[in-house]
Structures are given as structure tokens and as C-alpha cells.
């Protein structure tokens, strides 16, 4: 009977065996073929795979450490405190595309949180074949709840006894009792039969199967077929094996044993491994023989050849690559590496160093104590350090222990970072070395050939992501710089008015927007206020915005009324021969009379908060947006501004968000103004932006201008 030798309780603990007993009951109670238990790390930031049933370690390797920010079903189960069900490959691709890329197999999955008395311990996950019904039945859901409950009881009991169950260096395997192969019966079959365990190794082989494979039984036992037999090294063959194990469904393929022996393989999985039936297939055609020979020449036949590209490594790389595509700026790349990549390899910290001006500069880091990494910032590229070597020679360096690093680089700061193993990955993009990425491990770590191959390839992906991110950050800085240069640096102080403004650029993309506002002293007792939005998010829109703002300033200084200012501005846009449109609201405030005249050219209506505490949306006669009809007219209305009145002017980015009802958003804005309109203007401005959901994520620029009438 399998026990959880790799899961470690405190002295005398029985938790791992109890966990294994519960997990071994999954096939019988749920009809599932695969499953496992994740436990939260001590800092509760990572889910660590503690035990599996029916899954080889090579399959689970990319999923041993999962950050709590990752879009993964088990993470959602833990964070949401509920069962998460994924009803097949299409459902997985739609909801969890990263998992679908890394595990492109047909299966159903359920994940259940392990929670007791307010304490979350981790999650249980279970896999069914794709033939399972699209939804969990009530019986299955009840059984899953019961299994999760029993597991939670075990974990809680062990924790209460002072011996919490913790994952070991590798996930334990909750094997069921091994079944001896029925060799005599299999030997009578005309075709060959062999058995693969969950690690893909040959556990039993009939003489007929050995003859078809072309190797003696003694050499086959304990070996992986695709490692021992060069003609099975094409990743497509291992793909079928992995698909059978993960999906729980039979699979079949045909392979060619040189020079022209075609063999058919049929794979039949269950939670303990696979039975494979092998038999001669139809003769190979000359064209197929040529294709096979070409594959053999590409793959090589030496037994000690460097590690081939296994599907596990390829899917792991695809998963990590898909995560990097979501990074936008440099800090996004660093965060993505720290949250999605470092945990996948069991690392503790990461630092990204870029070569700039003959020195290494820290682009970002995670997992190190504050201030520790700063000592490496500015390291000359002539210094003999592993980071400089990886940044200048494009050669990755792997140090599996502190002693190994100190032997090659004695007395260096790198050995004083509190870590015990390191991977220095050169960042190369477009044949340029741009820096190095350092992955650090808290314990000594063995980097096997496959892991080194994945990490080396990953360095190139990180470099490409960083190159894109640096370009994005540069363009974004230029765009925002242009935007800010076209807006007033400061609004003038006006006796009798309190003024507060906010401008928030769009957080998606890097284009400059066309939102603008301004406040102009038009006379001793007169102030002009304008807010507008030019169509588009590009340099043309920004340039036109600057022209519109300049024109409004000129017309306002000529003491024109609001209707005339908008009429003349509309004519100007027509003369500029541009196809861009613009909305605009213009007010002329008479400070002595404490009133304003308002004209509107297709702009969102201003809001008013009165001294009596009531809030409303004004109802001006809205004219055509600018640059549609050169002869359009813009009626104006009078608005009283007694002391205590607040006017709220804004652009459509404040109320128009994808999927939201603009009318409801405007009503919510009026409600917020009614509730908080008496607060100081700066606090009110923040409240209006936050209430509209634009504090951090914005799909459009937002301009907001608040004007309050106060005693002079």
C-alpha cells in the first residue's frame, strides 16, 4: 500500500497516511481516475502539491508550486471557498486558457477547498474522463464535499496536535495496492503486451512485446520507451501517452520501427498505470520510410544525446510563455516572473538586471529583503560576477549550492543574499544581450537537464517580454508627457471660487488621449471654464485638442459669450479640414452676479450640487458636436451659483465603461454627489472617480473639473 513518504508531519504524525487513505478512495467514491491535494505554503502565497493519485511526477512537475494569483481552478477554489467545476476541454480553454495550453487533453476537473473553522488548508482536485456529464451530479458533489471534509479533518487534527502536514521536496504518490501482472495469460496473446507505471516506465513486458520492440525484456524493464528507443522519441508518441493518462481514455497510434516495421500501439489507462497492446500494422510506404529516416537524423540515435524536447517541457514552456504575454510594462514582467514562474520551479526570489551604460541596473526584484538587492545596482560590466557573465557572454549559469557559487566567485556579495541555489539566465533578444534574470532558491536545488533546457528557453521569452515592455514604457512616458504638456500645469486662483481638477490617462494601451479642460480669467469679475473631448486616442487627437484649447482661450479673451465661443470654435475645426469630432462644454461665470451661462456641444451634461444639499444633472439645450455642421448653433442657459454651489464637469470616460449602462452610471454619480457634495473639493473629486470605478483600471481618459462658489 502506498504511503505519503514525501509529505512530512511533525514527529510521530499520522497525517500523510490518513491523507493517502482518503485520496485512494477517490476512484471508488467518485468514479474519477486522477486527483491530488494542494496545501497552502506557510506564507499563504503559494499552493504546494503535497500528494497525487494516478498522475506521474513528470506530469505534475509544472504544477507543484502555484502562486495564489495564478488563474488556475485550484486557486479559484481556495480564494472563493467553493467547488470549481470545469466540464471539459472547451470549458477549460474558455475559462482557464493557460491551463488549456499547458494540458491540451480532454478531461473534466473539480477543485474543492479544504476549509475548517475559518482556516483554509488548501484544495483537493479530481479528474474524470471527458465522457463525464457536463455537470457534477448531486451525488458526486456530495461525495466530493465529504472527501474534502474528511481531508480537512485530518489536516486540522494534525495541526491541532502541533504536527501540521507539510509538502515534501516532491509530491507523495497515494498508490493503491500494486497488482501483479498476469504474465502467463498475457503471454498466450498473439500480440505483445506491456505495462507502464505512472512514471512512464515499463513495469512488465511480454516476450512478444519485447520482440516487436527489438530489445530484450531485461533492458526494457524500468526504462521509459521514448528514452530507450530512438524511433519513439518523436514527442507526438509521448503526447498520446500523456493524453491517455490525464484524460483517462484509451488512445492509439502507429509508429515505424526502422527500417520499415510499422507497429500499432493501443493504450488503456487506469489509476495505477497503463496497459499497452502492440501489434504489427500494415507495411510502411516508401514515402513514410523517407519521412521516418529524416526524423531519425534530426533526433539522433545516441543513447546519451542531450535531452530531447519532451511534451512535458514543451507544455511547461507554453504555459509560462502565455503568462508572459499578459505583461505590459517592465514591472508587469517582473511581477509575472515572480508570481507565475518562480513558484513553478520552487524558487524563492527573482531579480531582473538590465545592462545600461556599461553597468547592470536593477529593473525589479521580488522575494528578497528590502535593500539587499540595491547593492548590485550599478555593477560595472567589467566586474567578475555571475550576473555580469550571464549579461555579457550569453551563457546561463546554474549553481546548485552555496559552496558551488563560492568556489567560483569567492567573496562576492551574491553569496550573502541568504539563498542556497541560483540560476543566472542571460536575456537575449534580437541577438542582443540586454541583461540577466536571477532565480534564487532557499534550499540547495538540483537543476536536471530538462529543467535547464526549460529555464534557458525561458530566459529568451523573458528577454522578449522585457524588450516589448521597455518599448511600451518609453512610448507611454512620451505619450503621457505630450498629454500633460497640452493640459494646464496649474489652474489660476480665483477669489470667490474653489477649484479642483483631476486628469487620469487610460490604463490600456499607450496612445495619448484628447480630453482637456481649462480655466481662463476673462476679466476682473469674469471666468471662462471649458472641458472637452476630441475623438480618438492618438497624436492627431492630441494635436487637435491643443488647437481647440488655444482657440477657446482666444475667443474667451475676446469677451465672447458661450454660444459665440462654441460657434467660432466649430467654424475653426471646419477650416482645419480634419475628420475628427469633438465635444465641449463652455461656461462663462459672472463672479459679481454669482451666475454662469452654459453652452454645450454634445458633451456630457454638468452636475450641480446646491447649498440645500440637493444634486442634479443640468438640462442645457445640447447642440451638435463640433465639426459636424459648420453652421450649427449652440443655445445657452443661465445657472445660478449662490455660495455653497458646486459644479461638476467631466468627460465621458467617467461614466462610459464597457458593459455598463451610462444612464445608471450617471444616476450613481448624482447619488454620490448628493451624499458627499459638502465635503472638501479634493476629497469629493476622489470620491467621484472611485465611485465610478476608475481608481486603477480605465479604458478611457477621464477629466474632472469641480468648481465651488465660496465667499470672496
Amino acid at each position: 500500500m502506498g504511503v505519503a513518504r514525501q509529505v512530512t508531519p511533525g514527529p510521530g504524525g499520522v497525517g500523510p497516511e490518513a491523507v493517502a487513505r482518503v485520496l485512494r478512495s477517490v476512484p471508488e467514491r467518485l468514479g474519477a481516475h486522477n486527483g491530488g491535494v494542494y496545501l497552502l505554503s506557510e506564507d499563504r502565497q503559494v499552493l504546494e502539491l503535497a500528494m497525487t493519485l494516478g498522475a506521474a511526477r513528470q506530469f505534475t512537475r509544472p504544477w507543484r508550486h502555484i502562486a495564489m494569483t495564478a488563474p488556475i481552478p485550484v486557486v479559484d477554489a481556495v480564494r472563493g471557498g467553493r467547488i470549481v467545476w470545469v466540464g471539459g476541454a472547451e470549458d477549460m480553454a474558455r475559462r482557464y486558457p493557460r491551463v488549456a495550453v499547458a494540458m491540451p487533453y480532454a478531461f473534466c476537473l473539480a477543485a474543492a477547498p479544504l476549509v475548517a473553522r475559518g482556516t483554509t488548508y488548501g484544495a483537493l482536485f479530481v479528474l474524470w474522463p471527458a465522457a463525464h456529464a457536463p455537470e457534477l451530479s448531486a451525488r458526486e458533489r456530495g461525495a466530493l464535499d465529504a472527501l474534502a471534509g474528511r481531508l480537512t479533518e485530518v489536516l486540522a487534527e494534525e495541526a491541532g496536535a502541533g504536527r501540521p502536514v507539510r509538502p515534501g521536496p516532491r509530491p507523495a504518490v497515494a498508490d493503491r495496492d500494486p497488482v501483479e501482472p498476469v504474465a502467463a495469460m498475457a503471454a498466450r496473446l498473439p500480440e505483445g503486451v506491456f505495462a507502464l507505471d505512472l512514471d512512464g516506465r515499463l513495469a512488465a513486458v511480454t516476450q512478444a512485446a519485447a520482440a516487436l520492440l527489438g530489445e530484450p525484456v531485461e533492458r526494457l524493464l524500468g526504462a521509459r520507451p521514448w528514452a530507450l528507443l530512438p524511433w519513439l522519441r518523436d514527442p507526438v508518441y509521448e503526447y498520446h501517452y500523456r493524453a491517455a493518462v490525464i484524460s483517462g481514455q484509451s488512445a492509439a497510434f502507429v509508429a515505424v520501427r526502422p527500417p520499415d516495421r510499422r507497429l500499432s500501439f493501443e493504450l488503456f489507462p487506469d489509476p495505477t498505470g497503463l496497459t499497452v497492446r502492440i501489434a504489427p500494422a500494415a507495411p510502411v510506404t516508401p514515402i513514410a520510410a523517407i519521412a521516418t529516416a529524416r526524423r531519425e537524423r534530426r533526433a539522433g540515435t545516441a543513447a546519451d544525446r542531450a535531452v530531447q524536447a519532451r511534451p512535458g517541457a514543451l507544455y511547461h514552456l507554453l504555459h509560462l510563455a502565455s503568462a508572459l504575454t499578459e505583461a505590459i510594462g517592465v514591472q508587469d514582467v517582473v511581477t509575472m516572473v515572480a508570481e507565475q514562474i518562480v513558484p513553478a520551479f520552487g524558487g524563492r526570489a527573482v531579480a531582473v538586471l538590465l545592462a545600461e551604460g556599461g553597468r547592470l541596473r536593477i529593473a525589479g526584484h521580488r522575494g528578497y529583503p528590502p535593500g539587499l538587492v540595491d547593492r548590485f545596482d550599478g555593477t560595472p560590466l567589467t566586474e567578475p560576477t555571475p550576473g555580469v557573465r550571464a549579461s555579457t557572454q550569453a551563457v546561463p549559469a546554474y549553481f546548485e549550492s552555496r559552496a558551488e557559487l563560492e568556489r567560483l566567485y569567492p567573496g562576492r556579495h551574491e553569496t550573502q543574499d541568504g539563498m542556497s541555489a541560483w540560476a543566472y539566465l542571460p536575456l537575449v533578444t534580437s541577438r542582443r544581450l540586454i541583461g540577466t534574470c536571477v532565480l534564487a532558491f532557499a534550499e540547495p536545488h538540483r537543476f536536471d537537464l530538462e529543467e535547464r533546457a526549460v529555464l534557458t528557453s525561458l530566459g529568451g521569452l523573458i528577454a522578449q517580454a522585457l524588450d516589448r515592455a521597455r518599448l511600451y514604457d518609453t512610448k507611454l512616458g512620451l505619450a503621457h508627457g505630450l498629454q500633460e504638456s497640452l493640459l494646464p500645469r496649474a489652474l489660476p486662483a480665483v477669489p470667490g471660487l474653489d477649484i479642483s481638477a483631476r486628469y487620469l490617462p487610460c490604463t490600456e494601451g499607450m496612445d495619448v488621449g484628447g480630453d482637456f479642460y481649462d480655466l481662463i480669467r476673462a476679466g476682473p469679475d469674469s471666468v471662462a471654464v471649458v472641458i472637452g473631448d476630441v475623438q480618438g486616442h492618438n497624436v492627431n487627437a492630441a494635436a487637435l485638442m491643443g488647437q481647440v484649447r488655444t482657440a477657446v482661450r482666444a475667443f474667451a479673451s475676446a469677451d465672447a459669450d458661450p454660444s459665440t465661443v462654441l460657434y467660432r470654435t466649430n467654424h475653426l475645426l471646419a477650416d482645419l479640414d480634419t475628420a475628427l469630432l469633438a465635444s465641449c462644454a463652455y461656461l462663462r461665470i459672472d463672479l459679481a452676479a454669482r451666475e454662469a451661462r452654459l453652452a454645450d456641444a454634445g458633451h456630457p451634461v454638468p452636475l450641480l450640487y446646491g447649498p440645500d444639499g440637493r444634486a442634479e444633472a443640468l438640462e442645457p439645450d445640447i447642440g451638435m458636436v463640433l465639426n459636424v455642421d459648420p453652421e450649427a448653433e449652440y443655445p445657452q442657459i443661465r445657472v445660478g451659483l449662490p455660495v455653497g454651489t458646486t459644479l461638476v464637469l467631466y468627460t465621458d470616460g467617467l461614466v462610459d465603461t464597457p458593459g455598463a449602462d451610462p444612464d445608471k452610471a450617471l444616476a450613481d454619480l448624482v447619488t454620490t454627489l448628493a451624499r458627499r457634495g459638502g465635503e472638501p473639493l479634493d476629497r469629493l473629486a476622489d470620491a467621484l472617480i472611485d465611485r465610478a470605478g476608475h481608481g486603477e483600471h480605465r479604458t478611457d481618459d477621464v477629466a474632472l473639473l469641480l468648481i465651488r462658489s465660496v465667499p470672496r
Side-chain angles (χ1 to χ4, degrees):
M1 180 176 294
V3 295
R5 290 182 293 275
Q6 298 296 328
V7 179
T8 56
V14 297
E17 290 79 2
V19 171
R21 282 196 297 272
V22 176
L23 204 53
R24 283 194 291 270
S25 68
V26 164
E28 180 181 350
R29 299 183 63 178
L30 288 173
H33 66 282
N34 205 320
V37 174
Y38 278 96
L39 298 179
L40 274 169
S41 60
E42 293 183 7
D43 62 5
R44 308 187 73 77
Q45 299 302 307
V46 176
L47 282 173
E48 300 176 324
L49 186 58
M51 188 177 297
T52 64
L53 171 74
R57 290 192 175 112
Q58 58 177 314
F59 296 166
T60 59
R61 184 173 188 170
W63 312 99
R64 291 180 186 175
H65 307 274
I66 299 177
M68 282 299 293
T69 56
I72 304 291
V74 289
V75 172
D76 283 355
V78 172
R79 296 177 63 180
R82 58 182 174 81
I83 291 176
V84 173
W85 166 254
V86 182
E90 291 185 6
D91 194 18
M92 184 71 78
R94 184 175 63 256
R95 296 165 56 195
Y96 301 99
R98 288 193 206 165
V99 180
V101 168
M103 299 181 68
Y105 313 116
F107 62 92
C108 299
L109 178 146
L114 304 178
V115 185
R117 293 182 291 278
T119 299
T120 301
Y121 294 92
L124 164 70
F125 73 90
V126 180
L127 273 65
W128 285 266
H132 188 282
E135 299 292 339
L136 277 176
S137 67
R139 185 195 66 79
E140 289 171 327
R141 188 173 289 271
L144 185 60
D145 277 332
L147 284 171
R150 178 56 190 142
L151 282 172
T152 307
E153 289 177 5
V154 171
L155 296 171
E157 289 170 2
E158 293 298 298
R163 46 176 188 260
V165 178
R166 302 299 315 152
R170 295 189 300 173
V173 178
D175 298 332
R176 295 196 294 180
D177 293 334
V179 179
E180 291 295 330
V182 190
M185 182 176 66
R188 299 188 188 101
L189 297 173
E191 64 269 23
V193 177
F194 61 86
L196 294 173
D197 64 19
L198 291 176
D199 281 326
R201 300 183 184 278
L202 287 150
V205 187
T206 65
Q207 290 293 343
L212 290 169
L213 294 173
E215 295 287 347
V217 171
E218 295 75 15
R219 189 155 186 255
L220 290 168
L221 288 174
R224 291 189 175 98
W226 43 88
L228 179 64
L229 305 172
W231 49 278
L232 282 180
R233 285 183 184 165
D234 191 319
V236 71
Y237 301 139
E238 189 184 350
Y239 169 86
H240 289 294
Y241 158 71
R242 297 169 67 90
V245 172
I246 294 176
S247 69
Q249 295 180 310
S250 59
F253 62 88
V254 174
V256 179
R257 173 187 160 191
D260 57 3
R261 187 78 182 273
R262 286 170 57 85
L263 299 173
S264 68
F265 293 78
E266 296 178 86
L267 289 65
F268 304 93
D270 77 356
T272 66
L274 288 91
T275 296
V276 181
R277 184 164 58 199
I278 176 174
V284 67
T285 65
I287 293 177
I290 292 172
T292 300
R294 287 177 177 170
R295 280 200 304 270
E296 285 298 322
R297 285 196 297 271
R298 289 197 304 267
T301 56
D304 59 349
R305 181 178 174 85
V307 64
Q308 301 291 323
R310 300 260 59 85
L314 294 175
Y315 295 148
H316 194 181
L317 205 56
L318 284 171
H319 170 66
L320 300 177
S322 67
L324 284 172
T325 60
E326 299 177 10
I328 299 175
V330 170
Q331 292 308 311
D332 295 326
V333 174
V334 176
T335 299
M336 195 65 68
V337 172
E339 294 184 352
Q340 306 295 336
I341 293 174
V342 173
F345 290 93
R348 175 62 60 83
V350 63
V352 176
L353 301 91
L354 298 178
E356 296 177 351
R359 295 179 178 273
L360 280 182
R361 298 296 182 184
I362 304 297
H365 62 88
R366 303 287 189 277
Y368 287 103
L372 189 145
V373 178
D374 295 341
R375 69 179 71 176
F376 303 112
D377 193 33
T379 302
L381 294 180
T382 55
E383 285 286 314
T385 72
V388 168
R389 179 175 179 269
S391 299
T392 57
Q393 300 182 20
V395 178
Y398 300 96
F399 303 97
E400 299 184 343
S401 67
R402 181 184 298 275
E404 186 176 347
L405 180 62
E406 290 177 341
R407 184 172 63 253
L408 295 176
Y409 298 93
R412 299 300 309 176
H413 291 308
E414 284 82 353
T415 64
Q416 303 170 19
D417 63 359
M419 301 298 170
S420 299
W422 299 263
Y424 286 82
L425 309 177
L427 303 178
V428 183
T429 178
S430 301
R431 298 183 180 180
R432 293 182 297 112
L433 272 165
I434 63 172
T436 183
C437 177
V438 184
L439 268 62
F441 298 77
E443 303 292 337
H445 183 86
R446 180 178 176 273
F447 300 96
D448 59 31
L449 287 177
E450 181 174 301
E451 188 169 63
R452 291 183 184 220
V454 172
L455 285 172
T456 301
S457 300
L458 190 58
L461 295 174
I462 295 173
Q464 293 178 29
L466 279 170
D467 211 31
R468 292 193 305 269
R470 293 167 78 186
L471 179 61
Y472 174 88
D473 286 346
T474 299
K475 289 185 175 180
L476 185 64
L478 291 172
H480 286 175
L482 175 61
Q483 180 85 60
E484 291 173 1
S485 69
L486 295 172
L487 291 171
R489 293 186 177 273
L491 295 174
V494 179
L497 296 179
D498 275 351
I499 305 162
S500 182
R502 295 288 186 274
Y503 173 76
L504 301 177
C506 171
T507 58
E508 293 188 356
M510 64 182 70
D511 292 328
V512 61
D515 292 17
F516 68 95
Y517 60 86
D518 206 352
L519 188 143
I520 307 140
R521 289 301 301 263
D525 293 313
S526 182
V527 174
V529 179
V530 61
I531 190 166
D533 185 1
V534 176
Q535 174 190 15
H537 289 82
N538 49 46
V539 174
N540 292 335
L544 185 62
M545 177 261 280
Q547 291 173 304
V548 171
R549 179 170 167 250
T550 301
V552 170
R553 268 188 164 269
F555 298 143
S557 300
D559 203 27
D561 60 66
S563 296
T564 303
V565 169
L566 291 186
Y567 179 82
R568 291 175 177 174
T569 304
N570 186 43
H571 259 281
L572 172 67
L573 290 183
D575 292 341
L576 290 175
D577 194 25
T578 176
L580 296 178
L581 307 178
S583 67
C584 185
Y586 180 89
L587 292 99
R588 183 84 171 203
I589 300 176
D590 186 331
L591 297 173
R594 291 197 179 274
E595 69 174 16
R597 286 172 292 163
L598 166 67
D600 192 304
H603 197 77
V605 296
L607 309 182
L608 184 142
Y609 176 82
D612 57 0
R614 290 188 299 175
E616 61 178 327
L618 297 178
E619 299 181 357
D621 294 327
I622 298 177
M624 189 77 67
V625 295
L626 303 176
N627 202 30
V628 173
D629 179 5
E631 300 303 323
E633 296 184 353
Y634 299 94
Q636 60 187 19
I637 63 170
R638 292 184 179 273
V639 181
L641 296 177
V643 172
T645 302
T646 301
L647 279 173
V648 179
L649 296 93
Y650 55 94
T651 56
D652 59 359
L654 190 66
V655 291
D656 287 352
T657 55
D661 181 354
D663 292 335
K664 184 179 184 303
L666 179 60
D668 290 344
L669 206 61
V670 172
T671 300
T672 303
L673 179 62
R675 188 172 67 252
R676 307 190 62 170
E679 297 182 7
L681 282 192
D682 285 341
R683 191 182 302 171
L684 175 59
D686 293 337
L688 293 175
I689 286 177
D690 292 342
R691 178 63 185 85
H694 293 291
E696 296 181 357
H697 178 73
R698 296 176 297 279
T699 58
D700 194 5
D701 300 337
V702 176
L704 177 66
L705 186 60
L706 304 184
I707 299 170
R708 176 172 291 167
S709 178
V710 297
R712 300 182 70 176

